[in-house]
Amino acid sequence: MWADPVQADRLKQMLDTLHRQKIDLADEVLIVNPGGYIGDSTRREIAYARSLGKPLRYTHPVKDGGDRG
């Protein structure tokens, strides 16, 4: 599915929407970030959660000025 750019983009958009909906329902957001890594999509999800005032927790310390807040 990732080989076809159109399908990959559609899937990514669907997953982004699903993740925002889950954040909407959550009391708290757990950021799973092995090794402290946070990618662009996760940064956007963190920003969205913050905009809603959701508490955030991380599984690992964030590297290099990541998105800890």
Side-chain angles (χ1 to χ4, degrees):
M1 186 177 276
W2 292 110
D4 178 355
V6 174
Q7 280 187 315
D9 188 52
R10 188 177 316 132
L11 178 59
K12 182 169 178 6
Q13 289 176 17
M14 290 171 48
L15 290 173
D16 288 345
T17 299
L18 176 63
H19 289 178
R20 282 191 304 273
Q21 290 171 340
K22 288 182 175 187
I23 291 168
D24 289 339
L25 296 172
D27 294 324
E28 176 181 71
V29 178
L30 176 64
I31 309 303
V32 179
N33 60 322
Y37 173 77
I38 295 179
D40 292 337
S41 292
T42 303
R43 286 183 201 285
R44 286 190 297 274
E45 292 167 1
I46 290 168
Y48 181 70
R50 282 194 180 126
S51 77
L52 299 175
K54 303 286 181 167
L56 301 171
R57 282 191 307 129
Y58 296 78
T59 58
H60 295 82
V62 178
K63 287 186 175 180
D64 300 329
D67 235 318
R68 186 62 100 150

